[in-house]
Amino acid sequence: MMDTVYDLIILGAGPAGLAAGLYGARAGLSTLLLERGAEGGQAAQTDRVENYPGAMLEEESGYTLTARMLAQAEHFGAQKQNDEIRDVQLDGEIKTLTGAAGTYRAKTVILAMGASPRKLGCPGEEELTGKGVSYCATCDGAFFRGLEVYVVGGGDSAVEEALFLTRFARKVTLIHRRDQLRAVKALQEKAFANEKMDFIWNAEVVSLEGEEELKAIQIKDVKTGELRRVEADAADGMMGLFVFVGLDPNSALLEGKLPLEKGYIPTDEKMHTAIPGVFAAGDIRVKDLRQIVTAASDGAIAAMEAQRYLAERE
């Protein structure tokens, strides 16, 4: 890999990275997608995609959509390599990315590492992750068939995932810090109309209990400070807690390498970062709306700007 100098390396294969791969490869750039896990990023964990233009209304999931995006990028010549990048050198004409499996060099780089689910940070969370605590309803929802499940959050993602969980759980209770949801009206209407859903308002989770399974949740009223302990039904033996309280950018790799704002990468409207030849796209970028459609837009713009950057240096 070290001998090859790509025109474009894209770090991350979520919707932003995949769109960049398509546009870069189709523009004739030698293009490499680097991804530490499966393609699709956060989008691939979404059970149903209804707001991406052209999505199949009845059967489109984040996985099916991003799988087609990857196939399309590869059709035009983009290559994909699985590796965990541990260091980047972004200054200079040739950029170097060093991973666990190899070293990669390119004339331009698009940073599209996305973001990861934010954790609650309360006692018991780390120990019980995978033992009742989850951050992905589509990944783990089926494990809670017939059980009681709690969802933390009040935005679009929290309500969408809570509704999805009603397919499996006996009851889904949404815990929110405020006295009303932040989700769009259409989602709120679905949630309030669902007989399996209940709500705990003005509350936050302060601790989790259990050894091999989640057995109890300690909840605090944010207005009165009153504590409430919710226990798993004795017949069930366990309960579920799904956390959807926002995202944190996957930018630790960039500390000291690039200016960041609360971990996010600032860019101009053409996806340029502070370093020439380095662009950012998708959820890792400073932006207002983080959706599949805006990520794909970012990726397309970034790839075209990379092509323009190279053309100006010929």
Side-chain angles (χ1 to χ4, degrees):
M1 293 286 182
M2 190 64 183
D3 295 335
T4 303
V5 178
Y6 292 91
D7 292 324
L8 171 62
I9 285 180
I10 302 157
L11 187 52
L18 294 171
L22 165 63
Y23 273 77
R26 193 168 179 271
L29 306 183
S30 56
T31 302
L32 176 67
L33 281 156
L34 289 172
E35 171 57 57
R36 64 181 177 180
E39 71 276 359
Q42 289 292 309
Q45 298 177 6
T46 301
D47 171 62
R48 179 172 292 182
V49 176
E50 296 179 328
N51 58 357
Y52 188 83
M56 298 180 291
L57 287 177
E58 297 301 320
E59 53 193 33
E60 192 77 280
S61 68
Y63 174 78
T64 60
L65 179 63
T66 53
R68 291 205 310 278
M69 286 181 174
L70 176 61
Q72 195 175 6
E74 290 180 330
H75 172 77
F76 286 102
Q79 300 174 45
K80 178 175 176 280
Q81 174 72 31
N82 280 97
D83 200 351
E84 183 174 355
I85 300 304
R86 296 176 175 175
D87 187 43
V88 294
Q89 299 297 326
L90 300 174
D91 294 315
E93 290 295 314
I94 303 299
K95 326 295 182 183
T96 303
L97 293 82
T98 304
T103 301
Y104 313 87
R105 299 194 298 159
K107 299 171 186 175
T108 63
V109 169
I110 296 175
L111 302 167
M113 297 95 83
S116 296
R118 183 174 300 149
K119 298 191 174 183
L120 296 173
C122 69
E125 181 180 19
E126 201 71 35
E127 296 82 352
L128 289 164
T129 296
K131 299 176 181 179
V133 177
S134 175
Y135 307 87
C136 176
T138 49
C139 306
D140 300 328
F143 295 122
F144 297 88
R145 194 178 299 276
L147 300 176
E148 288 196 12
V149 163
Y150 291 78
V151 172
V152 184
D156 289 355
S157 295
V159 178
E160 282 176 354
E161 301 300 328
L163 286 165
F164 173 75
L165 287 166
T166 61
R167 302 183 191 183
F168 307 100
R170 181 172 74 247
K171 180 182 177 184
V172 177
T173 302
L174 196 146
I175 304 168
H176 188 37
R177 287 182 55 85
R178 304 180 185 181
D179 59 3
Q180 58 185 6
L181 299 174
R182 293 182 291 107
V184 296
K185 188 176 180 181
L187 283 173
Q188 292 194 40
E189 289 172 351
K190 286 183 181 179
F192 293 136
N194 193 306
E195 293 181 354
K196 282 190 171 184
M197 286 198 63
D198 197 3
F199 303 86
I200 299 176
W201 305 108
N202 301 311
E204 64 180 7
V205 174
V206 293
S207 68
L208 304 173
E209 301 172 23
E211 292 182 6
E212 293 306 311
E213 297 96 14
L214 176 63
K215 298 282 191 181
I217 303 170
Q218 190 90 323
I219 299 170
K220 183 176 81 171
D221 187 303
V222 297
K223 290 189 173 181
T224 67
E226 181 184 352
L227 292 176
R228 170 184 174 187
R229 189 169 181 269
V230 179
E231 296 184 8
D233 188 292
D236 295 337
M238 70 173 293
M239 64 209 303
L241 181 75
F242 287 78
V243 180
F244 303 102
V245 292
L247 300 170
D248 287 319
N250 297 323
S251 60
L253 184 67
L254 304 174
E255 292 286 348
K257 309 279 187 178
L258 199 64
L260 300 173
E261 292 181 12
K262 296 181 179 178
Y264 291 95
I265 305 171
T267 70
D268 62 13
E269 63 181 9
K270 294 183 178 180
M271 310 301 139
H272 292 235
T273 71
I275 300 177
V278 179
F279 309 87
D283 285 359
I284 200 168
R285 190 172 77 84
V286 174
K287 59 191 299 187
D288 291 327
L289 183 62
R290 291 183 169 86
Q291 295 284 300
I292 298 174
V293 68
T294 61
S297 172
D298 287 358
I301 293 168
M304 290 296 89
E305 287 301 302
Q307 190 271 337
R308 185 172 290 113
Y309 171 89
L310 293 171
E312 290 171 352
R313 279 154 180 77
E314 287 182 353

